[in-house]
Amino acid sequence: MDGRLFSFIAASMSALFWLSLPALLILPIILCLAILLWRLPRIISSCKRFNHYCSCFLLGIFWMASVGHWQQTWQLQADDFTQGIWIQGRITSLIDGKQSPRFNLDISVIEQRSLVKKRRIRLSWTKPMWSLKQGQRVQLWVKLKPAHGLANQGGFHYQQWLFSQDIVGTGYVKTSENNILLEPNLSVRQRLLDQIMATELATTPWIAALALGHRGLLTQDDWLLVQRTGIAHLIAISGLHLALVASLCYLLIASVLLFCYRVLITTQTVNFHFVSILITLFATLGYAYLAGLGLPAMRAWLMLALTALLLFTRLYWGIKRILLVSISAFILLFPLSLFGQSFWLSFSAVLIISFVFWRWPVKHQGFSIKNWFAGMCRLQLTLSILMLPIVAWQFSFVSLAAPLVNLIAVPLVTLIVVPLCLLAVVMLLLNLARADDVLVLVDYGLQLLLDKLVEVSNWSASAFTIPAIPALAWVCLTLATLVIILPRGLLPRVAAVMLCLPLLSYGLTTRATHWQVNVLDVGQGLSVVVSRHNDALLYDVGAAYPSGFNMADSVLTPYLHSHGMTHVGILVLSHFDNDHSGSEPALRRSMSILRTYTTKDKCRYGWQMYWQGLQVSALWPDDPSLHNDNNGSCVLRITDGHTSVLLTGDIDASVERKLVQHYGDALQSRILIAPHHGSNTSSSAEFITAVAPQHVIFSQGFMNRWGFPKNEVVTRYQQTNAQLYRTSEDGQIQVTVEDSGIKVRTFRHDMYPYWYANH
């Protein structure tokens, strides 16, 4: 049975590496072949086990391919994205009273068209007409886009996250008098959040996260603290919290039943043990509901349910089979969770904990504080060490303080803070007095803990970022660690040294002669990173928005850190429009910038410098005060003497004409960043002819309201046989200039070409 389950799981997980879904017509063939292989052993008994493995593997392929095709079928229609539409649905996100909330909505009606299956979308609403709450049923006029996200190395894969959450579109609510609240019903979870927020305690955001799994109140500084100290698992309601709830509930119910048996009842007619387990299951399911039925909580509850089933049926399964059955069930029930980071982090943690108990089994010699503490230290240390490669691979970040912090924080949070939070929640549900007093006590304890965490976080060596390293190197490091931890004699220790070589060899990089131009996907804006010899020249930084979202934190800093760059050598701001320079303050907060040039100082006609063996020349403006902001853009030409890239900002055809008249053939550049994102006021025919680009890159937002790049502009470039790229379709565009020529790679088609991230 274990081998069959493993085959099914392996096949399902292979969907992570598919470049495209298997054709729909192939799926019936795969299913028939799986059934045939399953029944074939009756005829050929010698191949029974192998055939069953193959059959389960094919079933895994069939299941995940079917899920993929269902997701494509359940997308919204193309007409739903072309204009504003009326929808009706129910709010499913907890909302904490922000002025411009973002929330999920399960829609059941679109333009008076009832949907057989509800679709989930993600909306924002600036200054809503009423206080939005979870559970409300609403009618809204919205403008939608298909699920889409920025696509860059080192950045958060938002589109993949939307897919894993079954969200088929994003958008915003448009102003209309007919936006109405159809049903004012609030969920129990929302009412609890409102009551917790009404206390206005200093640690209310943390209490909401620990008690209800709502982390929307945590600030950017809070998340930085969580990251640097490695306590993210403590504020996500998952297996740790559910196991605590289950333990407390079982002890309480069992104690009550035992008291009734000894004091009130003379005969026992039911098995108190089974009754306690059954009530505990329902109680933990209720707790998972209060946590929003999040996938980590549901994974933990599923394992509890499986354990309860084994107890009821008096079956004994080893930990290996329990894990395999649990993962298989979760893939069947929540297949999209495979594409989210949460699944893999939880899955890895469970495997590591199982390994620790196998390697150092618990000896039943009575309870001892010394043995308990030693076991806790061993578990936490091993968990931190073995999780380090996974976290480093996913986030390019390592927290050295995490093992020590968790050794202290885990028992405090698990045994004191979380039980008090649960007590407060129960008291709030039952409208009992003194619930606020319990929350005040939690606030006091959390404040003391957070103060100490801040002190640890401020230690410069507590955490650091690392370059992006291939997954294979991290896998080899994890295996090397396992070889060292395994009992002596199972594997030779020299294997650990051999497995460390990929990571060590990656760090011994030679001084490369090539240079790169990376046009980052920053939506409707521009940011270009020219890099050589591990140094960066940054041309523009993208936009920043009133909500606090900016391209420095979401794109630039993650990209630079993932490539091992701790500072920006040169920052050039072409002009001061928000979509080109808005993220500069945020970038300065996160990284040091050695030199900055704008049109207010040196970035004007005639200025040039040599940087990392490249010649950087400013071709425009002559006098920025004589032009509007767009036409005053700093135009740069960067060349190694053979290959040139032309960075044009937002100039229009009038400036292009002057450049052609002044420079003529000297404008020729093999790589051109199209002026003004592809506006028809730019990219004139004479300018294109003078530049004669081989590769043209448009930096513009997905389905932007201006329609950039304009069809007329695209046609003019196509007539020159140039290769055209769009950040909205291709994501980050990487141009590598080598002695042998130019190599172009895009994020969506070359670096991360998987079907679920680019559907």
Side-chain angles (χ1 to χ4, degrees):
M1 179 178 177
D2 292 351
R4 298 165 190 170
L5 292 172
F6 183 83
S7 296
F8 174 79
I9 293 170
S12 300
M13 291 182 175
S14 72
L16 292 165
F17 306 100
W18 298 351
L19 303 184
S20 61
L21 286 173
L24 191 60
L25 294 177
I26 297 179
L27 296 189
I29 299 175
I30 294 176
L31 180 60
C32 291
L33 185 58
I35 296 173
L36 180 63
L37 285 172
W38 186 268
R39 296 186 61 85
L40 196 59
R42 295 186 177 183
I43 305 171
I44 309 175
S45 59
S46 61
C47 301
K48 179 179 180 179
R49 179 173 296 180
F50 176 76
N51 288 345
H52 279 183
Y53 292 167
C54 292
S55 177
C56 291
F57 190 88
L58 290 175
L59 286 175
I61 298 290
F62 173 80
W63 173 243
M64 294 308 299
S66 300
V67 169
H69 282 291
W70 292 338
Q71 288 302 115
Q72 290 185 345
T73 302
W74 292 332
Q75 298 299 307
L76 298 177
Q77 299 178 7
D79 293 343
D80 297 331
F81 303 115
T82 57
Q83 57 188 353
I85 59 172
W86 285 102
I87 62 173
Q88 293 181 15
R90 193 172 298 279
I91 297 174
T92 60
S93 296
L94 274 185
I95 301 178
D96 45 44
K98 295 179 180 178
Q99 287 297 317
S100 301
R102 299 186 69 188
F103 56 96
N104 294 343
L105 187 75
D106 283 353
I107 52 177
S108 55
V109 178
I110 299 180
E111 291 289 330
Q112 300 181 348
R113 183 178 78 246
S114 297
L115 302 178
V116 176
K117 178 187 180 299
K118 293 181 179 179
R119 311 290 200 275
R120 178 162 295 181
I121 61 174
R122 191 163 177 81
L123 297 173
S124 61
W125 192 355
T126 303
K127 296 181 180 179
M129 298 169 59
W130 64 87
S131 180
L132 297 174
K133 300 292 181 182
Q134 185 185 57
Q136 293 175 345
R137 189 167 178 272
V138 295
Q139 174 181 286
L140 301 173
W141 188 32
V142 300
K143 182 70 171 66
L144 297 179
K145 292 181 180 180
H148 190 84
L150 305 178
N152 301 281
Q153 289 175 307
F156 176 58
H157 298 158
Y158 183 57
Q159 186 168 338
Q160 180 178 334
W161 180 83
L162 291 173
F163 180 77
S164 69
Q165 300 296 311
D166 196 17
I167 296 174
V168 300
T170 61
Y172 61 92
V173 180
K174 304 182 70 173
T175 302
S176 173
E177 294 180 354
N178 293 322
N179 289 332
I180 57 176
L181 176 61
L182 298 176
E183 296 178 9
N185 301 333
L186 302 186
S187 67
V188 174
R189 192 173 177 228
Q190 180 69 63
R191 292 172 184 168
L192 288 172
L193 177 63
D194 291 344
Q195 290 176 288
I196 291 174
M197 290 183 61
T199 59
E200 297 183 351
L201 299 171
T203 61
T204 292
W206 300 92
I207 295 174
L210 289 169
L212 302 175
H214 176 63
R215 295 177 287 178
L217 291 170
L218 297 176
T219 65
Q220 190 68 32
D221 291 339
D222 293 334
W223 283 114
L224 182 61
L225 176 66
V226 166
Q227 189 180 43
R228 291 184 64 83
T229 55
I231 60 167
H233 61 100
L234 291 179
I235 61 170
I237 294 181
S238 56
L240 188 66
H241 299 77
L242 220 68
L244 174 64
V245 173
S247 301
L248 293 175
C249 184
Y250 177 82
L251 290 175
L252 177 63
I253 299 301
S255 300
V256 170
L257 291 177
L258 185 60
F259 172 79
C260 293
Y261 168 67
R262 290 182 174 178
V263 177
L264 304 177
I265 305 174
T266 57
T267 58
Q268 180 179 351
T269 57
V270 295
N271 189 315
F272 290 165
H273 177 57
F274 287 168
V275 171
S276 300
I277 292 175
L278 188 61
I279 296 176
T280 298
L281 270 183
F282 283 105
T284 50
L285 183 60
Y287 180 63
Y289 167 76
L290 291 180
L293 296 178
L295 293 178
M298 292 307 297
R299 275 194 295 270
W301 187 83
L302 190 64
M303 293 194 70
L304 283 176
L306 179 60
T307 304
L309 179 64
L310 293 176
L311 291 173
F312 287 150
T313 56
R314 293 182 172 85
L315 291 176
Y316 174 77
W317 286 355
I319 184 63
K320 179 176 69 172
R321 177 164 296 183
I322 292 176
L323 285 175
L324 290 173
V325 172
S326 299
I327 295 171
S328 299
F330 205 80
I331 290 174
L332 288 172
L333 295 173
F334 308 102
L336 296 183
S337 66
L338 279 177
F339 305 101
Q341 291 179 339
S342 170
F343 174 86
W344 294 99
L345 293 174
S346 299
F347 173 65
S348 301
V350 171
L351 283 181
I352 293 170
I353 292 171
S354 303
F355 170 79
V356 170
F357 283 110
W358 170 81
R359 176 63 181 84
W360 295 283
V362 178
K363 297 179 180 179
H364 299 284
Q365 297 178 346
F367 179 78
S368 165
I369 295 294
K370 179 182 177 181
N371 292 336
W372 175 84
F373 183 74
M376 285 289 295
C377 291
R378 187 188 303 117
L379 175 62
Q380 187 57 53
L381 184 62
T382 308
L383 190 62
S384 298
I385 292 174
L386 292 180
M387 285 295 290
L388 186 147
I390 300 169
V391 174
W393 170 47
Q394 288 289 326
F395 304 106
S396 297
F397 191 90
V398 173
S399 174
L400 295 180
L404 179 60
V405 168
N406 279 282
L407 192 61
I408 300 171
V410 167
L412 288 177
V413 172
T414 305
L415 301 178
I416 300 175
V417 177
V418 171
L420 287 175
C421 285
L422 294 177
L423 176 61
V425 167
V426 172
M427 294 176 72
L428 289 173
L429 282 172
L430 300 177
N431 292 321
L432 298 178
R434 302 293 184 181
D436 289 352
D437 294 338
V438 177
L439 289 176
V440 169
L441 183 61
V442 173
D443 176 71
Y444 178 76
L446 278 175
Q447 194 62 61
L448 292 177
L449 179 60
L450 290 172
D451 289 342
K452 298 301 180 184
L453 290 177
V454 170
E455 292 179 10
V456 173
S457 176
N458 290 336
W459 176 42
S460 59
S462 64
F464 57 90
T465 57
I466 58 174
I469 298 176
L472 180 60
W474 290 120
V475 170
C476 291
L477 179 63
T478 305
L479 294 176
T481 308
L482 286 173
V483 170
I484 295 173
I485 296 176
L486 285 172
R488 290 183 177 275
L490 289 181
L491 288 173
R493 291 294 190 258
V494 69
V497 178
M498 300 298 292
L499 288 168
C500 288
L501 290 179
L503 185 64
L504 295 175
S505 62
Y506 185 83
L508 301 175
T509 54
T510 58
R511 190 173 176 85
T513 59
H514 68 264
W515 55 289
Q516 282 187 348
V517 179
N518 280 276
V519 183
L520 302 181
D521 181 10
V522 292
Q524 187 59 36
L526 179 65
S527 185
V528 182
V529 180
V530 181
S531 57
R532 195 179 202 186
H533 302 158
N534 204 38
D535 198 3
L537 184 154
L538 184 57
Y539 182 87
D540 286 342
V541 293
Y545 300 94
S547 64
F549 180 79
N550 63 82
M551 295 304 162
D553 294 333
S554 60
V555 177
L556 295 176
T557 301
Y559 171 82
L560 294 170
H561 280 168
S562 70
H563 286 74
M565 300 180 192
T566 57
H567 67 273
V568 175
I570 296 174
L571 170 62
V572 177
L573 297 178
S574 65
H575 60 298
F576 300 98
D577 281 357
N578 179 58
D579 59 332
H580 290 255
S581 62
S583 291
E584 181 196 7
L587 181 63
R588 290 189 183 278
R589 288 194 298 268
S590 59
M591 299 192 74
S592 62
I593 301 173
L594 303 186
R595 289 177 285 174
T596 303
Y597 300 112
T598 71
T599 55
K600 291 182 178 180
D601 40 64
K602 293 185 177 182
C603 201
R604 301 184 181 187
Y605 164 73
W607 170 71
Q608 66 178 20
M609 68 174 179
Y610 287 90
W611 172 80
Q612 299 294 344
L614 303 175
Q615 181 180 342
V616 182
S617 305
L619 309 184
W620 185 263
D622 48 3
D623 184 351
S625 64
L626 301 176
H627 310 280
N628 61 33
D629 213 19
N630 284 350
N631 280 340
S633 297
C634 178
V635 177
L636 285 188
R637 187 172 186 266
I638 303 176
T639 180
D640 60 4
H642 302 284
T643 303
S644 303
V645 56
L646 190 62
L647 305 164
T648 57
D650 279 351
I651 60 173
D652 67 15
S654 64
V655 175
E656 293 175 352
R657 191 178 310 111
K658 293 178 181 179
L659 290 173
V660 172
Q661 291 172 355
H662 190 276
Y663 294 99
D665 292 342
L667 277 178
Q668 288 188 1
S669 301
R670 296 178 68 181
I671 307 160
L672 171 65
I673 311 302
H676 204 177
H677 319 289
S679 167
N680 197 31
T681 60
S682 307
S683 297
S684 58
E686 59 178 339
F687 177 74
I688 295 173
T689 301
V691 178
Q694 296 178 6
H695 304 276
V696 180
I697 301 171
F698 298 100
S699 179
Q700 30 67 248
F702 177 70
M703 292 183 67
N704 63 87
R705 58 180 175 175
W706 298 277
F708 295 158
K710 292 293 187 180
N711 293 332
E712 302 90 336
V713 173
V714 173
T715 301
R716 288 199 289 269
Y717 282 113
Q718 288 175 336
Q719 290 172 349
T720 66
N721 295 320
Q723 296 292 319
L724 307 185
Y725 307 91
R726 310 182 190 191
T727 56
S728 61
E729 295 180 357
D730 302 310
Q732 170 193 338
I733 298 160
Q734 181 185 86
V735 183
T736 304
V737 182
E738 302 174 315
D739 294 337
S740 57
I742 294 177
K743 181 180 179 181
V744 181
R745 300 174 69 232
T746 68
F747 186 84
R748 292 188 183 276
H749 303 291
D750 302 298
M751 306 175 198
Y752 204 75
Y754 308 114
W755 66 278
Y756 50 87
N758 304 299
H759 66 286

